[in-house]
Structures are given as C-alpha cells and as structure tokens.
Amino acid sequence: MITKESITSLIAGYLAENGLFLVDIEISAENDIVITIESYEGSVSLDNCTAIDAAVTGRFDKDVEDYSLTVTSAGLDQPFKVAQQYVKFTGCEVEITLKKGGRIKGILSEYCNEGENGEGKGIRITTSRMVKPEGAKKKTEQQTTVFYPLEEVRECRPVIKFR
C-alpha cells in the first residue's frame, strides 16, 4: 500500500538536493496520487516533475499497486498550505480571506512561528492607504502592519499581476 509517508521519505532527498519542498500529497480512494511541490527560489521545472515521477514509479509497481500519478507545482492561484510558501512569498503582495469574513490585500511582511505575545503561528500583513492629515492639502500614504494568527485565516494566496 502506498502512503503519504512512504512517498515523502522516497522523494525527500531529491527535494532537498534541488532546492524544492513538498506542499502536499493527496491519495484518493481510487489510488489517484497527486504530489505538489514548490521551489524555494524561482519555479519548478518539468525535469523536477519527471524526476519525481520516475522515482515513485520506479519504487511502486503500477501493476501491483494500480495507481495513477500526477506530479505538479503549486499554482500561483492556489492558497498556501505550508510554512515554506509563506516564507517564499515574504515581501510579495498577497490576499488573505479571514474565517470571520473579509478580505485583505497587502504585502506579506513576515511569517511568524510565534507571535509577539505568544499568539501562535501567524502572518504580518502591511497595507497602505492614502489619508489626508488634518490641515494638510495633499493625501499621504499611511502604512499599517497587522498580525493575523493562522487560525483566523481561511486562506492566503499571492496576488497575480499582469503588466
């Protein structure tokens, strides 16, 4: 039987050697396996996906296990699933959706394993808005950074800009 743990241990060395990390492994009831990977810097190449495919198919016989395998990179439109994604996109614009409702767009300033006051894991988002100070003629940009515990965040994903 193929398990997430057996796949994880099989590909861990390859991922580390190539500057990649595992985002997710999904195994359906029909034995459809989807391995999602991401690069610490840059993007995942087709060669990376085929090498992981070859490692898995070389270890697990398709005739015996009867499975289908897909190896893919994490899509830019997909929400973050692991801490490494938050770290990779630090300094980039993201959109978070809160569990209590509401969306916030801003710069992912920091991923925190522990908040300032022991709040647990979370992210700091810096937002900007134009405000007109009292007595001023022009609006100025005001930046605010807020800590959001991950347990309050439904999803976080990068903002895609086409320029």
Side-chain angles (χ1 to χ4, degrees):
M1 180 175 167
I2 301 175
T3 64
K4 290 182 181 185
E5 294 77 20
S6 62
I7 294 172
T8 300
S9 64
L10 176 66
I11 66 174
Y14 179 84
L15 294 175
E17 290 171 10
N18 291 280
L20 304 169
F21 59 90
L22 181 64
V23 174
D24 194 22
I25 297 175
E26 297 175 15
I27 302 176
S28 73
E30 293 81 30
N31 232 12
D32 296 325
I33 303 168
V34 179
I35 301 172
T36 306
I37 58 174
E38 181 63 86
S39 171
Y40 285 106
E41 294 181 17
S43 58
V44 175
S45 72
L46 181 59
D47 290 340
N48 296 136
C49 294
T50 56
I52 291 171
D53 182 278
V56 174
T57 55
R59 168 67 174 83
F60 301 106
D61 187 352
K62 282 191 175 189
D63 293 330
V64 173
E65 299 287 347
D66 190 29
Y67 65 91
S68 70
L69 176 63
T70 303
V71 181
T72 185
S73 64
L76 281 178
D77 61 337
Q78 300 298 311
F80 299 157
K81 293 185 176 184
V82 295
Q84 293 98 321
Q85 290 177 294
Y86 290 99
V87 173
K88 177 181 179 176
F89 285 94
T90 297
C92 298
E93 188 175 15
V94 296
E95 180 178 67
I96 64 171
T97 304
L98 301 173
K99 288 181 180 176
K100 65 182 178 184
R103 290 182 181 205
I104 298 152
K105 265 190 189 179
I107 303 299
L108 177 57
S109 305
E110 182 181 14
Y111 171 79
C112 309
N113 275 325
E114 191 68 33
E116 292 174 349
N117 301 314
E119 303 114 330
K121 293 182 181 184
I123 53 177
R124 293 190 199 292
I125 303 293
T126 301
T127 57
S128 299
R129 65 183 182 132
M130 299 301 286
V131 295
K132 186 175 179 185
E134 193 172 316
K137 292 183 178 183
K138 291 185 176 182
K139 290 183 176 184
T140 59
E141 184 178 34
Q142 179 184 41
Q143 292 188 340
T144 307
T145 301
V146 177
F147 176 81
Y148 295 95
L150 285 185
E151 66 232 13
E152 294 179 11
V153 176
R154 175 173 289 127
E155 67 180 34
C156 179
R157 62 180 71 215
V159 172
I160 303 170
K161 293 185 178 181
F162 300 100
R163 291 184 195 188

